[in-house]
């Protein structure tokens, strides 16, 4: 019997890859198809060295409730036919919620990787997913002490929680290309280390509100008058820019299709500043030691701010101001960040999670009364 690892999006693939490799044939990767296009998923499976997953049907592009219910029904059938020893879900996506509910329905021990994140922003669907998954989970792998404390504050019994660190740390260490390869890549993009901005944006609060989207693009365009701005454009963002008639604001930027993981890390490693609304990028930039401007209303990863790597700004003039402050800090500013440890762990999280899973598989943990 295997351990089912249920994923559905790019960041989940990144964060379970090392664990899947440790587990080897004991891992059964199930992809709900939440984001299953070549740019966001197919190439990541290959690049991250993952096995071909079992792919579910009729989930991608659907409203949230349909995504969860379609994935849940198919996972239930799969778990009935081939009962896993445990189900692992990562993060806060609809795929993770469906995996958690499916495990719960069949009394299969549920392991939640990246437990205890809270934005306290109830307008975010992910916040609801996090709370529900953490209440259902039998084994909660918290990335930081703060994540553990948040779980304890919600009355999750201490015996269910282990502080493992975040698996993104080992993902960055493994997939960041070597210095020579990075230099060749920067040359291919026509940029110089420490003298360009790298930007991403894909969250609905930024892309689905034309005023916010326009404000972000205007700020990036204004920065592009001073230094190159590389903007990797998520497919949903591209569609929203076109629908809102904002394509002209892309002209001053260097627009890039979604990048492979190694390539993205290489560009982030040498960017003077990164501007992003991504969750994973908030963690990765602390491992890479680079400054980040987070364009969001709230964050569930305050550790990156507290450690001085990131600041949170609303879409608008504050983006340009925050980027220019970081640029003004110059090489000394970059050096001081490079020397700081990441608050997200030591690169051994996946190994700790594998040990917890071995205990669950041996019937020594999970799903028993507290
Ligand atoms: N990423 C990537 N290529 C890109 C942009 C991002 O590989 O062009 C990676 C990034 O390093 C991070 C993940 O995609 O690991 C983040 O995914 P996303 O922003 O879609 O989700 P979130 O982290 O916000 O849940």
């Amino acid at each position: 019997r295997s351990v089912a690892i249920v994923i559905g999006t790019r960041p989940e693939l990144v964060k379970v890859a090392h664990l899947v490799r440790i587990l080897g044939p004991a891992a059964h990767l199930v992809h709900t198809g939440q984001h299953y296009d070549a740019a966001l998923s197919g190439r990541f499976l290959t690049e991250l060295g993952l096995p071909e997953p079992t792919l579910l049907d009729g989930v991608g592009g659907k409203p949230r409730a349909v995504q969860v219910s379609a994935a849940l029904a198919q996972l239930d059938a799969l778990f009935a036919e081939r009962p896993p020893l445990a189900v692992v879900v990562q993060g806060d996506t609809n795929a993770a919620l469906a995996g958690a509910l499916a495990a719960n329905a069949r009394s299969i021990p549920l392991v939640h990787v990246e437990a205890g994140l809270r934005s306290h922003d109830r307008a975010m669907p992910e916040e609801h997913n996090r709370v529900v998954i953490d209440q259902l989970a039998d084994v909660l792998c918290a990335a930081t002490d703060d994540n553990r404390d948040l779980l304890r504050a919600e009355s999750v019994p201490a015996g269910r929680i282990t502080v493992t660190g975040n698996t993104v740390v080992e993902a960055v260490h493994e997939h960041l290309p070597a210095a020579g390869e990075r230099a060749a890549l920067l040359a291919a993009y026509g940029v110089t280390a420490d003298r360009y901005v790298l930007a991403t944006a894909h969250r609905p609060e930024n892309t689905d509100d034309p005023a916010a989207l326009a404000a972000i693009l205007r700020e990036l365009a204004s920065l592009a008058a001073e230094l190159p701005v590389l903007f990797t454009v998520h497919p949903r963002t591209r569609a929203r820019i076109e629908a809102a008639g904002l394509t002209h604001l892309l002209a001053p930027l260097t627009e890039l299709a979604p990048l492979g993981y190694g390539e993205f890390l290489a560009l982030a490693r040498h960017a003077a500043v990164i501007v992003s609304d991504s969750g994973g990028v908030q963690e990765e930039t602390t491992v890479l030691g680079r400054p980040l401007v987070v364009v969001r209303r709230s964050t569930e990863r305050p550790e990156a701010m507290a450690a001085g790597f990131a600041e949170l700004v609303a879409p608008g003039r504050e983006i340009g101001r925050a980027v220019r402050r970081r640029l003004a800090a110059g090489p000394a500013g970059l050096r001081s960040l490079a020397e700081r440890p990441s608050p997200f762990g030591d690169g051994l999280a996946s190994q700790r999670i594998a040990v917890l899973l071995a205990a669950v598989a041996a019937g020594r943990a999970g799903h028993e009364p507290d």
Side-chain angles (χ1 to χ4, degrees), residues 10-11 14 44 202-203 232 258-261 264 278-281 284:
R10 167 173 76 175
V14 165
F44 277 76
H202 75 292
R203 303 205 75 78
T232 95
L259 300 167
Y261 190 49
F264 181 80
S278 158
V281 173
E284 288 158 349

Side-chain angles (χ1 to χ4, degrees), residues 107-149:
S107 299
I108 302 164
L110 173 66
V111 179
H112 187 203
V113 175
E114 208 176 74
L117 273 66
R118 295 291 181 270
S119 65
H120 305 290
D121 176 356
R122 287 174 58 83
M124 279 180 93
E126 294 94 331
E127 182 73 355
H128 300 262
N129 290 352
R130 291 178 196 121
V131 170
V132 175
I133 297 167
D134 282 336
Q135 288 298 331
L136 295 178
D138 301 291
V139 176
L140 294 94
C141 307
T144 66
D145 291 346
D146 287 352
N147 295 153
R148 179 201 51 214
D149 295 345

Side-chain angles (χ1 to χ4, degrees), residues 321-348:
R321 284 197 278 267
V323 170
R324 289 186 182 95
R325 272 198 302 274
R326 290 291 190 170
L327 293 175
L334 289 174
R335 260 197 313 277
S336 103
L337 282 190
E339 286 158 6
R340 254 171 244 189
S342 166
F344 294 108
D346 58 4
L348 298 174

Side-chain angles (χ1 to χ4, degrees), residues 6 28 58 67 74 82 111 146 176 208 232 239 245 278 288 315 342 345:
V6 179
H28 175 203
Q67 289 197 3
Q74 292 171 76
R82 193 174 151 181
V111 179
D146 287 352
L176 177 69
D208 296 4
T232 95
S278 158
L288 297 169
S342 166

